[in-house]
Amino acid sequence: MTADTTILVFGSINMDLVARVETIARPGETVLSPKAESFFGGKGANQAVAAARVAKGTTIDVLMAGAVGNDPFGQSCLDNLARNGVATHLVAVLPEPTGCAFITVDRKGENAITVASGTNMALHAAELTEHAVSPVVLVLQMEVSLEQNLIAARWAKSLGAQIVWNLAPAPTDDQARRIDEIMSVTDVLIVNEHEALVVSGGAGKTGTYGHEDAASFLARTFRLTCVVTAGASGATAFLQDGERIHADAPRIEPLDTTGAGDTFVGVLAAGIAERLPIKAAMERACLAASRTCMALGAQGGMPWREEI
């Protein structure tokens, strides 16, 4: 089947090193784990894999624009993307080490993550203009340079693409000062409850308010769709006209929540590329994110199209 729609994911590629623990270590505390396991990760790569799995068999291509090191982790990450149906010709191989994430997962499935960025912070968007790529949807996150994200967004916007920006991890204080700049090139903003508050504060909202007021403020102020994810409570889209659209998440007993948010983003981006109504796209994304929590690793439980 010939592809006629392209989702381009510009972002991070990591190798995740995961240790399961009884409780996540507090500052100054050491906890023991039976073993460490390696999994493929990076918010960009996770979202690309999630999108590619749900787009399998459709006329949608998923491309990854990122960077890995000239090391065993880098080659493994490239091979993994290809196995999942993600095109990798826009992934640069650089002298810096491949990014790594160090993850601890407790008995309840909650996690704590430290990321060593490596090649992810050496990623340059200027190279995108050298390739004959015209994305319908561009997906961004916050594990690569903000400046490079903005360059990629402006370039894709000039080609008529929809910009889906997952503002995670939450913007730093310096990044929050550029919220207006970020929002000006964003069509669909995806944040969790905490990130919604950080972003709205950076956009000038003051006083005491909750994440719903924050999301509604962002949607109205910047004339975009703001989607807030809330774990087991599902997700809610706040539209610029004031309408709110909610999608429930299935009730599950999670094994590992790593990658659930990225699954939601990738599957929602695929829904946007398929031109699904926002509620249907969010419902499918919530289902996929829940299934991801039933297996170890960010990508291990991501469902294929036929599974959802």
Side-chain angles (χ1 to χ4, degrees), residues 178-252:
R178 303 183 71 179
I179 289 299
D180 287 10
E181 197 175 351
I182 294 169
M183 296 298 99
S184 70
V185 291
T186 301
D187 296 294
V188 179
L189 173 68
I190 305 176
V191 288
N192 63 22
E193 295 156 299
H194 167 68
E195 292 153 1
L197 296 172
V198 173
V199 176
S200 61
K205 186 170 176 59
T206 59
T208 302
Y209 54 90
H211 70 273
E212 291 188 350
D213 286 343
S216 182
F217 166 81
L218 292 168
R220 293 193 317 271
T221 302
F222 297 105
R223 303 191 62 78
L224 50 76
T225 297
C226 181
V227 178
V228 179
T229 59
S233 297
T236 304
F238 296 79
L239 309 188
Q240 55 187 275
D241 63 3
E243 183 181 1
R244 300 183 183 189
I245 300 172
H246 181 75
D248 289 325
R251 296 185 65 177
I252 61 166

Side-chain angles (χ1 to χ4, degrees), residues 44-237:
N46 292 344
Q47 293 169 10
V49 168
R53 287 189 178 187
V54 81
K56 182 183 178 183
T58 71
T59 58
I60 296 174
D61 266 346
V62 179
L63 277 63
M64 180 78 216
V68 296
N70 186 18
D71 50 40
F73 279 172
Q75 187 58 55
S76 294
C77 288
L78 286 173
D79 293 343
N80 173 68
L81 288 167
R83 282 195 301 271
N84 281 281
V86 179
T88 61
H89 58 277
L90 298 181
V91 178
V93 179
L94 303 176
E96 292 86 351
T98 301
C100 285
F102 305 92
I103 304 171
T104 51
V105 182
D106 70 14
R107 54 187 169 81
K108 296 180 180 179
E110 294 299 328
N111 61 62
I113 304 173
T114 300
V115 178
S117 297
T119 48
N120 292 318
M121 284 302 173
L123 176 61
H124 289 284
E127 298 176 6
L128 294 174
T129 60
E130 300 174 7
H131 299 271
V133 177
S134 184
V136 169
V137 177
L138 173 69
V139 183
L140 303 169
Q141 329 77 35
M142 297 293 282
E143 286 186 338
V144 299
S145 160
L146 174 57
E147 192 61 47
Q148 298 306 313
N149 267 335
L150 286 167
I151 292 170
R154 295 181 191 119
W155 163 77
K157 196 82 169 174
S158 72
L159 298 175
Q162 288 270 298
I163 311 302
V164 176
W165 202 323
N166 175 213
L167 229 61
T172 63
D173 289 344
D174 286 342
Q175 292 170 337
R177 297 187 183 96
R178 303 183 71 179
I179 289 299
D180 287 10
E181 197 175 351
I182 294 169
M183 296 298 99
S184 70
V185 291
T186 301
D187 296 294
V188 179
L189 173 68
I190 305 176
V191 288
N192 63 22
E193 295 156 299
H194 167 68
E195 292 153 1
L197 296 172
V198 173
V199 176
S200 61
K205 186 170 176 59
T206 59
T208 302
Y209 54 90
H211 70 273
E212 291 188 350
D213 286 343
S216 182
F217 166 81
L218 292 168
R220 293 193 317 271
T221 302
F222 297 105
R223 303 191 62 78
L224 50 76
T225 297
C226 181
V227 178
V228 179
T229 59
S233 297
T236 304

Side-chain angles (χ1 to χ4, degrees), residues 267-280:
V267 175
L268 185 66
I272 292 169
E274 291 180 50
R275 296 178 174 84
L276 294 179
I278 186 66
K279 184 173 179 63

